[in-house]
């Protein structure tokens, strides 16, 4: 089953990825040289969010969509606060000025 996922790294940063086999990929991130370079330097990593998709293409597209989000928007997604996502999509200056 294809997944998009978010990992918390040892340095408290987030890593966003997608895969066909979540368990195997998580193992790679923590133990293998096949894990992403970003996570290899920040082990151990912990899975903190994932979602299933019908195809790897959908999972990959969602990965790319959320990878560019700011930390606070990723955290809203992880806690299921979907109502906060539109507001967090606005530039900080617009939010602070009430626009």
């Amino acid at each position: 089953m294809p997944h998009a996922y978010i990992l918390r790294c040892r340095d408290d940063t987030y890593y966003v990825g997608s895969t066909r086999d979540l368990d195997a990929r998580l193992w790679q991130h923590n133990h293998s040289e096949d894990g992403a370079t970003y996570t290899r330097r920040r082990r151990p990593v912990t899975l903190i969010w994932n979602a299933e998709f019908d195809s790897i293409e959908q999972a990959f597209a969602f990965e790319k969509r959320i990878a560019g989000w700011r930390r606070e928007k990723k955290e809203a997604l992880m806690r299921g606060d979907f109502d906060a996502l539109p507001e967090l999509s606005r530039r900080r200056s617009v939010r602070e000025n009430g626009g």
Side-chain angles (χ1 to χ4, degrees):
M1 177 68 59
H3 286 83
Y5 60 90
I6 302 175
L7 306 175
R8 176 176 283 125
C9 301
R10 180 189 66 223
D11 64 357
D12 203 35
T13 59
Y14 296 130
Y15 175 84
V16 178
S18 59
T19 184
R20 285 182 165 69
D21 186 338
L22 188 57
D23 291 331
R25 189 65 178 139
L26 183 57
W27 186 91
Q28 286 177 330
H29 280 297
N30 273 313
H31 304 286
S32 171
E33 290 307 308
D34 293 332
T37 302
Y38 186 87
T39 58
R40 281 198 311 259
R41 295 183 306 224
R42 293 166 173 84
R43 292 177 178 162
V45 299
T46 305
L47 178 67
I48 55 174
W49 179 88
N50 74 93
E52 293 182 0
F53 290 84
D54 291 329
S55 70
I56 192 62
E57 293 81 14
Q58 290 173 337
F60 181 74
F62 197 73
E63 169 197 347
K64 294 305 171 194
R65 180 176 173 189
I66 65 176
W69 290 2
R70 290 187 322 273
R71 182 180 184 92
E72 61 188 338
K73 188 171 179 182
K74 289 176 188 166
E75 289 173 344
L77 173 69
M78 290 184 277
R79 68 177 178 267
D81 188 1
F82 305 115
D83 292 336
L85 296 179
E87 180 66 21
L88 292 170
S89 295
R90 296 182 182 166
R91 290 186 319 242
R92 182 170 283 135
S93 62
V94 172
R95 287 185 316 208
E96 290 171 356
N97 293 323

